[in-house]
RNA sequence: GGACGACUAGCUCAGUGGUAGAGCGCUUCGUUGACAUCGAAGAGGCCGUUGGUUCAAUCCCAACGUCGUCCACCA
């Protein structure tokens, strides 16, 4: 054995031996209770970040502990196609080549993204191995595996058959740059500075940051308690505007803050979520003015006859301009007409942005929804009744709040990279279908259903299809395969959480595989608390809905690893910690247990660099304890009888075993790790071994026993160094499959 | 606006109804049969503020202050 433990010399070989020996694959024993964890799948085309390392470290502790205890233990690995995120990444690559996704039909684009992902997928798989994750690779799943797709489609069909699926026009968070809809929970808000314009509205003045939408305003809202405007409620006014007069009704809305601006709010049902609701309540028309590319659309105006030439010129000027650009032009014209009263340039407000940081344009679109009422009730009850326990307990309230307030779930996304809805539209029966496709010559065309019915054109449309938009009320068929020659499949894909919400089921081969029958429900779901609402809640809903059983018994939520400076890691701040550097420098063991001991209770915490170094030193300490034991093996002075020191250390060891078991039961990993550290270093090495050196009654058996037991206890926390020692010392078999220590009561 | 969490040694964080803990850092000493990625000894804290419960509070309760995070959002 070398003087110091060199992690680089051992890690790879040891992992290979583990994997090749089949140690990761559980032996199914009918009457034995299994222990199962499904690995939350990391992004297949992404890299390993510190959060992943923490996740793997914690799960591996539980897994190795149970495996050593003799439970049939399954840790099932997988990777995620990460729909929107991956598509954004891929489109960035395209942009570098001067291309955009609109130059491809969706089949080709899908294939290209798939190649891109498959090319990168092995990186993350290698990293999971490098972490030492003792996952069962023979059961590895990707979120777009064929059997996964099948189950997901069947679930949709089942929901549909039971009346839980519907289509509706809905105000969605639409990102014109990404070309897709985002769920509320995916949208964040950024404080932005936007001028607040005070515009003349007939005899009123209103304040708005969005003067461009005023052409499609359909009402004015005032607070019913506001005495200033009481008499106007219900009246219809003619208001002079940039393109001539508009008629508008004054409606009451208690949400209007009389103190904000002028106390009057303009209502644009087509482009504001609150206004959309208001519009439903008062039966206001929904008149869009911004198209799906984020440009102003004035066709509704320009198509009219007998337009004043001044107005025509203006409308033509705004038409197809980006929103902000058009706004500038309009402000100029407002000034010209004397309609602009003042501008508050200091105004700042929260603006919704998508995952990629683009501004969200609230838009009314047909979307697919799930009625969650009947799904969420049992999911809520499962946690309230304690059938599912959430650790740390204080996170539970987040779940309960979220579930209680959960509203119907928009499950369709206008992405290509994802699972396409198994919905088919007949062109014949739906003449109002809108198709965007590439012709064989590469030309991009937009057509409605009528007119593409010739078989040649239909083939062209099918091959070159980019997007299909079916108005509400369109006839459709749900089917895993095409129901007929004039049918086209829905181009929307499922929200990632719709499919990943079924992850514990699909990974185990729901509904009738042996694995599913044996391992489901799983034991622990361990993940970042950030996705408690997005993911954990959906898994519970679908688990219960499809099987009648909860998908897991315990939910353990770990905190977010912040950067060394205490801020959230982000590329723009340049404070991202690359775990690989730490692995290279200090070894995986040190990084893993360092992270685990950095967080005791699921709170967010700063990257514990000093602890990583401390545990690197500890790995070396354990290594050298083993070297010492090795060096004194077979020395003549060794006796059989136990002395006082022996009894002391064995007693402490027994206590340690009890403590570790107790703490792991309660998910107190940091404390368990530190107990072992304290025992091994400060009791075993500092006291017992130091005394051993000078003792006249050295008992090698005790010395060896304490080492062996310490290695076993430490193995879940620091798998590599302990296994390396085990091999170097030529102990029996592999430590990974050695038996967990039990308390020796005779002492 | 609503909620949750934090405030303990120079730094990062554990912890408990009854003389305060770890890692790192710091000071002094040390090449003793594994380890300088080490050993020995040590300094350092009215456990955010103010009240309350208690024989006893860093821990329980209330209020306040500061910070962080999440949710909802006002044109």
């Amino acid at each position: 054995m070398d003087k110091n433990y060199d992690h680089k010399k051992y890690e790879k070989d040891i992992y290979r031996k583990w994997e090749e020996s089949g140690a990761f694959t559980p032996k199914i024993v009918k009457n034995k209770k299994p222990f199962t964890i499904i690995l939350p799948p990391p992004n297949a085309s992404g890299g390993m970040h510190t959060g992943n390392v923490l996740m793997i470290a914690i799960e591996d502790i539980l897994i190795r502990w149970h495996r050593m205890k003799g439970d049939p233990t399954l840790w099932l690995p997988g990777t995620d196609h990460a729909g929107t995120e991956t598509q954004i990444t891929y489109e960035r690559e395209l942009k570098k080549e001067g291309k955009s996704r609109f130059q491809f039909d969706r089949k080709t684009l899908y294939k290209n993204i798939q190649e891109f992902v498959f090319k990168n997928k092995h990186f993350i798989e290698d990293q999971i191995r490098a972490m030492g994750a003792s996952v069962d690779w023979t059961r590895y799943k990707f979120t777009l595996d064929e059997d996964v797709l099948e189950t997901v489609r069947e679930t949709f069909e089942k929901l549909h058959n039971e009346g839980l699926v519907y289509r509706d026009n809905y105000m969605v968070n639409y990102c014109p740059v990404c070309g897709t809809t985002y769920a509320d929970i995916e949208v964040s808000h950024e404080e932005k500075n936007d001028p607040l314009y005070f515009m003349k509205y007939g005899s009123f003045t209103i304040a708005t940051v969005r003067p461009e939408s005023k052409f499609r305003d359909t009402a004015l809202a005032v607070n019913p308690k506001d005495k200033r405007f009481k008499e106007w409620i219900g009246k219809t006014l003619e208001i002079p505007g940039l393109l001539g007069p508009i008629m508008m009704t004054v409606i009451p809305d208690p949400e209007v803050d009389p103190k904000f601006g002028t106390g009057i709010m303009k209502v644009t049902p087509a482009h504001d979520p609150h206004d959309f609701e208001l519009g439903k309540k008062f039966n206001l028309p929904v008149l869009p003015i911004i198209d799906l590319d984020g440009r102003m659309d004035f066709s509704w105006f320009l198509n009219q006859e007998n337009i004043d030439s001044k107005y025509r010129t203006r409308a033509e000027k705004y038409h197809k301009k980006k929103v902000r650009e058009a706004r500038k032009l309009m402000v100029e014209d407002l000034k010209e007409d004397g309609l602009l009263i003042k501008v508050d340039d200091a105004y700042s407000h929260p603006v919704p942005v998508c995952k990629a940081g683009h501004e969200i344009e609230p838009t009314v679109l047909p979307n697919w929804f799930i009625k969650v009422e009947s799904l969420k009730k049992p999911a809520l009850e499962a946690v309230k009744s304690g059938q599912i326990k959430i650790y740390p307990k204080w996170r539970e309230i987040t779940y309960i709040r979220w579930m209680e307030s959960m509203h119907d779930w928009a499950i369709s996304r206008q992405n290509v990279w994802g699972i396409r809805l198994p919905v088919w539209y007949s062109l014949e029966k739906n003449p109002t279908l809108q198709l965007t496709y590439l012709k064989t010559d590469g030309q991009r065309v937009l057509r409605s259903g009528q007119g593409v019915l010739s078989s040649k054109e239909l083939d062209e449309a099918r091959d070159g299809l980019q997007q299909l938009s079916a108005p509400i009320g369109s006839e459709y068929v749900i089917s895993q395969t095409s129901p007929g020659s004039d049918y086209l499949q829905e181009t929307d894909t499922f929200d990632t959480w719709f499919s990943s919400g079924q992850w514990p089921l699909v990974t185990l081969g729901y509904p009738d595989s042996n694995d599913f029958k044996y391992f489901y429900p799983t034991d622990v779901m361990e993940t970042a608390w950030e996705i408690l609402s997005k993911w954990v809640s959906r898994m519970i809903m679908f688990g219960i809905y499809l099987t009648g059983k909860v998908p897991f018994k315990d939910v353990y939520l770990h905190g977010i690893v912040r950067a060394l400076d205490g801020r959230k890691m982000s590329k723009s701040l340049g404070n991202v910690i690359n775990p690989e550097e730490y692995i290279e420098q200090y070894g995986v063991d040190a990084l893993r247990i360092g992270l685990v001991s950095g967080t005791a209770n699921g709170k967010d915490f700063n990257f514990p660099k000093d602890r990583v170094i401390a545990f690197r030193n500890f790995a070396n300490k354990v290594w050298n304890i083993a070297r010492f034991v090795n060096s004194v093996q077979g020395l003549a002075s060794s006796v059989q009888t136990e002395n006082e020191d022996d009894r002391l250390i064995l007693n402490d060891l027994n206590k340690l075993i009890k403590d570790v078991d107790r703490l792991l039961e309660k998910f107190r990993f940091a404390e368990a790790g530190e107990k072992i550290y304290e025992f091994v270093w400060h009791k075993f090495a500092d006291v017992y071994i130091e005394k051993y050196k000078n003792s006249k009654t050295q008992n090698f058996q005790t010395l060896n026993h304490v080492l062996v037991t310490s290695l076993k206890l430490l193995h879940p926390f620091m798998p590599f160094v302990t296994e390396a020692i085990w091999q170097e010392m030529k102990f029996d078999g592999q430590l990974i499959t050695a038996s967990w220590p039990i308390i020796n009561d005779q002492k």
Side-chain angles (χ1 to χ4, degrees), chain A residues 36-65:
Chain A
T36 313
I37 296 179
I38 309 290
L39 177 78
N43 183 341
S45 59
M48 184 70 67
H49 58 260
T50 50
N52 294 143
V53 181
L54 176 62
M55 168 180 88
I56 283 176
I58 291 173
E59 292 174 25
D60 207 17
I61 288 171
L62 288 169
I63 288 290
R64 285 175 191 268
W65 175 48

mmCIF file of all heavy atoms in Angstrom, chain A residues 36-65:
data_model
loop_
_atom_site.group_PDB
_atom_site.id
_atom_site.type_symbol
_atom_site.label_atom_id
_atom_site.label_comp_id
_atom_site.label_asym_id
_atom_site.label_seq_id
_atom_site.Cartn_x
_atom_site.Cartn_y
_atom_site.Cartn_z
ATOM 1 N N THR A 36 -36.260 0.080 -2.922
ATOM 2 C CA THR A 36 -36.170 0.631 -4.271
ATOM 3 C C THR A 36 -36.114 2.153 -4.286
ATOM 4 O O THR A 36 -36.881 2.817 -3.589
ATOM 5 C CB THR A 36 -37.403 0.220 -5.114
ATOM 6 O OG1 THR A 36 -37.625 -1.168 -4.936
ATOM 7 C CG2 THR A 36 -37.206 0.530 -6.574
ATOM 8 N N ILE A 37 -35.208 2.664 -5.076
ATOM 9 C CA ILE A 37 -35.184 4.097 -5.365
ATOM 10 C C ILE A 37 -35.090 4.266 -6.875
ATOM 11 O O ILE A 37 -34.314 3.571 -7.538
ATOM 12 C CB ILE A 37 -33.969 4.798 -4.709
ATOM 13 C CG1 ILE A 37 -34.061 4.725 -3.183
ATOM 14 C CG2 ILE A 37 -33.879 6.251 -5.162
ATOM 15 C CD1 ILE A 37 -32.882 5.379 -2.475
ATOM 16 N N ILE A 38 -35.900 5.145 -7.425
ATOM 17 C CA ILE A 38 -35.771 5.506 -8.831
ATOM 18 C C ILE A 38 -34.947 6.791 -8.877
ATOM 19 O O ILE A 38 -35.294 7.776 -8.226
ATOM 20 C CB ILE A 38 -37.140 5.766 -9.482
ATOM 21 C CG1 ILE A 38 -38.119 4.613 -9.208
ATOM 22 C CG2 ILE A 38 -36.982 6.025 -10.965
ATOM 23 C CD1 ILE A 38 -37.816 3.337 -9.909
ATOM 24 N N LEU A 39 -33.879 6.754 -9.635
ATOM 25 C CA LEU A 39 -33.034 7.949 -9.754
ATOM 26 C C LEU A 39 -33.769 9.035 -10.539
ATOM 27 O O LEU A 39 -34.232 8.775 -11.644
ATOM 28 C CB LEU A 39 -31.741 7.590 -10.499
ATOM 29 C CG LEU A 39 -30.780 8.744 -10.781
ATOM 30 C CD1 LEU A 39 -29.991 9.096 -9.526
ATOM 31 C CD2 LEU A 39 -29.837 8.413 -11.921
ATOM 32 N N PRO A 40 -33.917 10.215 -9.977
ATOM 33 C CA PRO A 40 -34.475 11.305 -10.783
ATOM 34 C C PRO A 40 -33.565 11.519 -11.990
ATOM 35 O O PRO A 40 -32.369 11.749 -11.810
ATOM 36 C CB PRO A 40 -34.432 12.508 -9.835
ATOM 37 C CG PRO A 40 -34.409 11.910 -8.469
ATOM 38 C CD PRO A 40 -33.638 10.626 -8.612
ATOM 39 N N PRO A 41 -34.102 11.359 -13.191
ATOM 40 C CA PRO A 41 -33.215 11.323 -14.349
ATOM 41 C C PRO A 41 -32.595 12.681 -14.687
ATOM 42 O O PRO A 41 -33.314 13.648 -14.894
ATOM 43 C CB PRO A 41 -34.143 10.859 -15.476
ATOM 44 C CG PRO A 41 -35.510 11.227 -15.034
ATOM 45 C CD PRO A 41 -35.517 11.173 -13.552
ATOM 46 N N PRO A 42 -31.283 12.752 -14.728
ATOM 47 C CA PRO A 42 -30.640 13.995 -15.165
ATOM 48 C C PRO A 42 -30.838 14.203 -16.659
ATOM 49 O O PRO A 42 -31.111 13.250 -17.385
ATOM 50 C CB PRO A 42 -29.149 13.746 -14.878
ATOM 51 C CG PRO A 42 -29.069 12.500 -14.059
ATOM 52 C CD PRO A 42 -30.310 11.721 -14.339
ATOM 53 N N ASN A 43 -30.700 15.433 -17.080
ATOM 54 C CA ASN A 43 -30.806 15.803 -18.490
ATOM 55 C C ASN A 43 -29.785 15.022 -19.322
ATOM 56 O O ASN A 43 -28.593 15.096 -19.076
ATOM 57 C CB ASN A 43 -30.552 17.316 -18.603
ATOM 58 C CG ASN A 43 -30.712 17.822 -20.016
ATOM 59 O OD1 ASN A 43 -30.677 17.060 -20.976
ATOM 60 N ND2 ASN A 43 -30.901 19.120 -20.141
ATOM 61 N N ALA A 44 -30.289 14.293 -20.328
ATOM 62 C CA ALA A 44 -29.428 13.404 -21.116
ATOM 63 C C ALA A 44 -28.328 14.154 -21.859
ATOM 64 O O ALA A 44 -27.255 13.612 -22.090
ATOM 65 C CB ALA A 44 -30.268 12.610 -22.107
ATOM 66 N N SER A 45 -28.581 15.394 -22.221
ATOM 67 C CA SER A 45 -27.556 16.104 -22.980
ATOM 68 C C SER A 45 -26.880 17.172 -22.132
ATOM 69 O O SER A 45 -26.123 17.992 -22.623
ATOM 70 C CB SER A 45 -28.168 16.739 -24.236
ATOM 71 O OG SER A 45 -29.180 17.638 -23.863
ATOM 72 N N GLY A 46 -27.142 17.143 -20.847
ATOM 73 C CA GLY A 46 -26.529 18.133 -19.972
ATOM 74 C C GLY A 46 -25.331 17.565 -19.247
ATOM 75 O O GLY A 46 -24.946 16.420 -19.449
ATOM 76 N N GLY A 47 -24.722 18.366 -18.414
ATOM 77 C CA GLY A 47 -23.573 17.917 -17.635
ATOM 78 C C GLY A 47 -23.966 17.700 -16.185
ATOM 79 O O GLY A 47 -25.050 18.063 -15.759
ATOM 80 N N MET A 48 -23.074 17.089 -15.452
ATOM 81 C CA MET A 48 -23.299 16.833 -14.035
ATOM 82 C C MET A 48 -23.033 18.115 -13.252
ATOM 83 O O MET A 48 -22.011 18.742 -13.435
ATOM 84 C CB MET A 48 -22.320 15.741 -13.615
ATOM 85 C CG MET A 48 -22.431 15.261 -12.211
ATOM 86 S SD MET A 48 -23.912 14.313 -11.850
ATOM 87 C CE MET A 48 -23.677 12.826 -12.810
ATOM 88 N N HIS A 49 -23.986 18.504 -12.427
ATOM 89 C CA HIS A 49 -23.706 19.652 -11.576
ATOM 90 C C HIS A 49 -23.712 19.243 -10.110
ATOM 91 O O HIS A 49 -24.053 18.100 -9.790
ATOM 92 C CB HIS A 49 -24.687 20.790 -11.873
ATOM 93 C CG HIS A 49 -26.116 20.411 -11.687
ATOM 94 N ND1 HIS A 49 -26.939 20.084 -12.740
ATOM 95 C CD2 HIS A 49 -26.861 20.263 -10.586
ATOM 96 C CE1 HIS A 49 -28.123 19.754 -12.282
ATOM 97 N NE2 HIS A 49 -28.115 19.856 -10.969
ATOM 98 N N THR A 50 -23.352 20.146 -9.253
ATOM 99 C CA THR A 50 -23.167 19.775 -7.839
ATOM 100 C C THR A 50 -24.450 19.224 -7.229
ATOM 101 O O THR A 50 -24.389 18.352 -6.383
ATOM 102 C CB THR A 50 -22.696 20.988 -7.008
ATOM 103 O OG1 THR A 50 -23.559 22.072 -7.277
ATOM 104 C CG2 THR A 50 -21.277 21.355 -7.323
ATOM 105 N N GLY A 51 -25.600 19.733 -7.687
ATOM 106 C CA GLY A 51 -26.864 19.217 -7.185
ATOM 107 C C GLY A 51 -27.031 17.740 -7.509
ATOM 108 O O GLY A 51 -27.471 16.953 -6.671
ATOM 109 N N ASN A 52 -26.633 17.341 -8.715
ATOM 110 C CA ASN A 52 -26.692 15.927 -9.092
ATOM 111 C C ASN A 52 -25.797 15.088 -8.186
ATOM 112 O O ASN A 52 -26.139 13.978 -7.811
ATOM 113 C CB ASN A 52 -26.211 15.722 -10.541
ATOM 114 C CG ASN A 52 -27.132 16.362 -11.556
ATOM 115 O OD1 ASN A 52 -26.685 16.890 -12.545
ATOM 116 N ND2 ASN A 52 -28.419 16.315 -11.288
ATOM 117 N N VAL A 53 -24.625 15.627 -7.880
ATOM 118 C CA VAL A 53 -23.676 14.884 -7.040
ATOM 119 C C VAL A 53 -24.277 14.657 -5.663
ATOM 120 O O VAL A 53 -24.222 13.551 -5.119
ATOM 121 C CB VAL A 53 -22.334 15.634 -6.903
ATOM 122 C CG1 VAL A 53 -21.369 14.819 -6.050
ATOM 123 C CG2 VAL A 53 -21.725 15.919 -8.261
ATOM 124 N N LEU A 54 -24.866 15.690 -5.113
ATOM 125 C CA LEU A 54 -25.494 15.562 -3.795
ATOM 126 C C LEU A 54 -26.608 14.521 -3.845
ATOM 127 O O LEU A 54 -26.727 13.662 -2.969
ATOM 128 C CB LEU A 54 -26.053 16.920 -3.351
ATOM 129 C CG LEU A 54 -26.819 16.918 -2.034
ATOM 130 C CD1 LEU A 54 -25.919 16.506 -0.878
ATOM 131 C CD2 LEU A 54 -27.417 18.303 -1.760
ATOM 132 N N MET A 55 -27.419 14.611 -4.894
ATOM 133 C CA MET A 55 -28.524 13.666 -5.059
ATOM 134 C C MET A 55 -28.000 12.231 -5.107
ATOM 135 O O MET A 55 -28.490 11.348 -4.413
ATOM 136 C CB MET A 55 -29.264 14.011 -6.355
ATOM 137 C CG MET A 55 -30.256 12.991 -6.828
ATOM 138 S SD MET A 55 -31.040 13.534 -8.361
ATOM 139 C CE MET A 55 -29.925 12.911 -9.604
ATOM 140 N N ILE A 56 -26.993 12.004 -5.916
ATOM 141 C CA ILE A 56 -26.436 10.662 -6.061
ATOM 142 C C ILE A 56 -25.803 10.206 -4.749
ATOM 143 O O ILE A 56 -25.973 9.059 -4.333
ATOM 144 C CB ILE A 56 -25.430 10.643 -7.231
ATOM 145 C CG1 ILE A 56 -26.206 10.626 -8.545
ATOM 146 C CG2 ILE A 56 -24.500 9.439 -7.127
ATOM 147 C CD1 ILE A 56 -25.359 10.711 -9.773
ATOM 148 N N ALA A 57 -25.114 11.125 -4.083
ATOM 149 C CA ALA A 57 -24.454 10.771 -2.817
ATOM 150 C C ALA A 57 -25.482 10.279 -1.804
ATOM 151 O O ALA A 57 -25.299 9.236 -1.176
ATOM 152 C CB ALA A 57 -23.689 11.965 -2.280
ATOM 153 N N ILE A 58 -26.553 11.021 -1.654
ATOM 154 C CA ILE A 58 -27.562 10.667 -0.660
ATOM 155 C C ILE A 58 -28.235 9.341 -1.017
ATOM 156 O O ILE A 58 -28.373 8.441 -0.181
ATOM 157 C CB ILE A 58 -28.622 11.783 -0.553
ATOM 158 C CG1 ILE A 58 -28.004 13.026 0.085
ATOM 159 C CG2 ILE A 58 -29.813 11.303 0.279
ATOM 160 C CD1 ILE A 58 -28.910 14.237 0.083
ATOM 161 N N GLU A 59 -28.620 9.207 -2.280
ATOM 162 C CA GLU A 59 -29.313 7.982 -2.672
ATOM 163 C C GLU A 59 -28.393 6.773 -2.561
ATOM 164 O O GLU A 59 -28.812 5.688 -2.157
ATOM 165 C CB GLU A 59 -29.876 8.142 -4.090
ATOM 166 C CG GLU A 59 -31.005 9.162 -4.105
ATOM 167 C CD GLU A 59 -31.531 9.500 -5.487
ATOM 168 O OE1 GLU A 59 -31.399 8.668 -6.404
ATOM 169 O OE2 GLU A 59 -32.070 10.615 -5.651
ATOM 170 N N ASP A 60 -27.127 6.981 -2.901
ATOM 171 C CA ASP A 60 -26.189 5.865 -2.834
ATOM 172 C C ASP A 60 -25.966 5.423 -1.386
ATOM 173 O O ASP A 60 -25.757 4.241 -1.110
ATOM 174 C CB ASP A 60 -24.859 6.259 -3.488
ATOM 175 C CG ASP A 60 -24.116 5.048 -4.054
ATOM 176 O OD1 ASP A 60 -24.746 3.997 -4.223
ATOM 177 O OD2 ASP A 60 -22.903 5.165 -4.306
ATOM 178 N N ILE A 61 -26.005 6.349 -0.473
ATOM 179 C CA ILE A 61 -25.881 5.986 0.947
ATOM 180 C C ILE A 61 -27.013 5.038 1.323
ATOM 181 O O ILE A 61 -26.789 3.958 1.879
ATOM 182 C CB ILE A 61 -25.919 7.245 1.841
ATOM 183 C CG1 ILE A 61 -24.617 8.038 1.693
ATOM 184 C CG2 ILE A 61 -26.129 6.849 3.305
ATOM 185 C CD1 ILE A 61 -24.645 9.399 2.377
ATOM 186 N N LEU A 62 -28.227 5.425 0.989
ATOM 187 C CA LEU A 62 -29.383 4.591 1.322
ATOM 188 C C LEU A 62 -29.299 3.227 0.639
ATOM 189 O O LEU A 62 -29.562 2.184 1.240
ATOM 190 C CB LEU A 62 -30.675 5.297 0.897
ATOM 191 C CG LEU A 62 -31.081 6.504 1.743
ATOM 192 C CD1 LEU A 62 -32.212 7.270 1.077
ATOM 193 C CD2 LEU A 62 -31.496 6.065 3.147
ATOM 194 N N ILE A 63 -28.926 3.266 -0.632
ATOM 195 C CA ILE A 63 -28.880 2.041 -1.424
ATOM 196 C C ILE A 63 -27.820 1.076 -0.892
ATOM 197 O O ILE A 63 -28.080 -0.107 -0.677
ATOM 198 C CB ILE A 63 -28.605 2.390 -2.911
ATOM 199 C CG1 ILE A 63 -29.841 3.039 -3.539
ATOM 200 C CG2 ILE A 63 -28.163 1.160 -3.683
ATOM 201 C CD1 ILE A 63 -31.016 2.112 -3.752
ATOM 202 N N ARG A 64 -26.625 1.584 -0.672
ATOM 203 C CA ARG A 64 -25.549 0.704 -0.216
ATOM 204 C C ARG A 64 -25.838 0.159 1.184
ATOM 205 O O ARG A 64 -25.528 -0.995 1.499
ATOM 206 C CB ARG A 64 -24.207 1.451 -0.244
ATOM 207 C CG ARG A 64 -23.668 1.607 -1.647
ATOM 208 C CD ARG A 64 -22.393 2.446 -1.685
ATOM 209 N NE ARG A 64 -22.028 2.802 -3.045
ATOM 210 C CZ ARG A 64 -21.207 2.072 -3.803
ATOM 211 N NH1 ARG A 64 -20.655 0.967 -3.332
ATOM 212 N NH2 ARG A 64 -20.931 2.451 -5.037
ATOM 213 N N TRP A 65 -26.418 0.987 1.998
ATOM 214 C CA TRP A 65 -26.786 0.558 3.350
ATOM 215 C C TRP A 65 -27.771 -0.619 3.272
ATOM 216 O O TRP A 65 -27.572 -1.667 3.887
ATOM 217 C CB TRP A 65 -27.395 1.761 4.081
ATOM 218 C CG TRP A 65 -27.950 1.506 5.436
ATOM 219 C CD1 TRP A 65 -27.353 0.837 6.460
ATOM 220 C CD2 TRP A 65 -29.218 1.964 5.934
ATOM 221 N NE1 TRP A 65 -28.159 0.846 7.567
ATOM 222 C CE2 TRP A 65 -29.311 1.527 7.280
ATOM 223 C CE3 TRP A 65 -30.274 2.703 5.394
ATOM 224 C CZ2 TRP A 65 -30.430 1.810 8.070
ATOM 225 C CZ3 TRP A 65 -31.367 2.978 6.178
ATOM 226 C CH2 TRP A 65 -31.442 2.539 7.497
#
